[in-house]
Amino acid sequence: RDLKIDLKELNFKLKKKEEEVNDKEKKIKDIEVLESRALVNPILKEGLMNMEKCNKISSNLLTQYKEHIIKLTTQNAKLKSLSSIEEKYNDVKQQNDIYEKDLSELEETVKMIEGQVDRET
């Protein structure tokens, strides 16, 4: 009977020790989790800061890209305008060449007529 009581008592103490060990293991795991979070949090914070920097940089690049597109569009419009002006200049020059040719022919005709008039008089 004493042995039974001792055995029960030992079983009770064993369960208590097991519970203590389990509690200590749980606490150790909790501490490990907290320690790993403490290590991860600064890394996450730095990662977030880097993301913010990247977002600012990409935003700035996008703004520069838009400004460049506007500049190129403006330059393209100017080039088209210059091209149009050049076409008009070429048209006027061609027309002027025709007028000069006609004038030259008229001057020759006038000289011929003057020559005929001089011969007749």
Side-chain angles (χ1 to χ4, degrees):
R1 197 170 200 193
D2 286 337
L3 285 177
K4 268 189 172 183
I5 293 173
D6 285 341
L7 187 59
K8 280 184 180 181
E9 194 174 312
L10 284 174
N11 275 337
F12 179 76
K13 286 182 180 178
L14 180 64
K15 283 185 181 180
K16 275 280 199 192
K17 282 291 180 190
E18 284 177 348
E19 286 175 5
E20 286 177 20
V21 168
N22 285 340
D23 284 346
K24 285 184 181 178
E25 285 177 349
K26 186 177 183 297
K27 285 180 183 177
I28 290 171
K29 284 182 183 177
D30 288 346
I31 289 172
E32 287 173 349
V33 166
L34 290 174
E35 286 174 343
S36 67
R37 283 184 186 165
L39 292 174
V40 169
N41 282 342
I43 294 169
L44 288 175
K45 185 176 179 181
E46 185 179 347
L48 287 174
M49 287 170 47
N50 287 337
M51 282 178 58
E52 285 180 23
K53 286 179 187 175
C54 287
N55 283 340
K56 286 179 184 177
I57 290 170
S58 65
S59 177
N60 288 340
L61 287 174
L62 184 60
T63 301
Q64 289 175 8
Y65 176 74
K66 287 177 182 178
E67 289 171 354
H68 189 66
I69 291 295
I70 291 169
K71 183 178 177 183
L72 288 176
T73 303
T74 303
Q75 287 177 346
N76 189 33
K78 287 179 182 176
L79 285 175
K80 284 182 180 180
S81 176
L82 287 174
S83 176
S84 174
I85 290 170
E86 186 178 7
E87 285 177 18
K88 289 176 185 175
Y89 170 79
N90 288 334
D91 289 345
V92 168
K93 187 174 184 246
Q94 190 176 16
Q95 191 67 36
N96 190 47
D97 290 343
I98 293 170
Y99 290 150
E100 285 182 2
K101 184 180 172 196
D102 289 346
L103 180 62
S104 176
E105 288 174 2
L106 282 173
E107 286 174 345
E108 286 180 28
T109 305
V110 167
K111 283 180 184 175
M112 280 183 10
I113 293 173
E114 285 176 348
Q116 284 177 356
V117 168
D118 283 342
R119 278 187 250 142
E120 290 176 4
T121 57

